[in-house]
Amino acid sequence: MSEADEQPDAGDRPRDDEPRRRPALVIVGVVVAALLVCCCSAAVGLLISWSAGLFHPGA
């Protein structure tokens, strides 16, 4: 066998100069989703507290 037979084709392996952006986008998406859930749940909690009268001054 020659060295050319032992080397894999260039199309079989990913190029090193191509950026890998998919994992970074997944992480950013998860962080944005978590912040959205936290902010929405906080807003719902404040709304429920307000409607229950917890922020109204005592009479």
Side-chain angles (χ1 to χ4, degrees):
M1 286 181 114
S2 67
E3 288 185 27
D5 293 336
E6 294 177 7
Q7 296 291 331
D9 292 337
D12 292 343
R13 58 188 169 173
R15 291 177 42 189
D16 291 334
D17 59 346
E18 291 179 358
R20 297 182 182 188
R21 298 193 186 268
R22 185 161 178 85
L25 290 177
V26 170
I27 292 171
V28 169
V30 168
V31 169
V32 168
L35 288 174
L36 183 67
V37 168
C38 289
C39 291
C40 288
S41 64
V44 168
L46 287 172
L47 183 64
I48 291 172
S49 299
W50 184 272
S51 66
L54 296 178
F55 294 118
H56 297 259

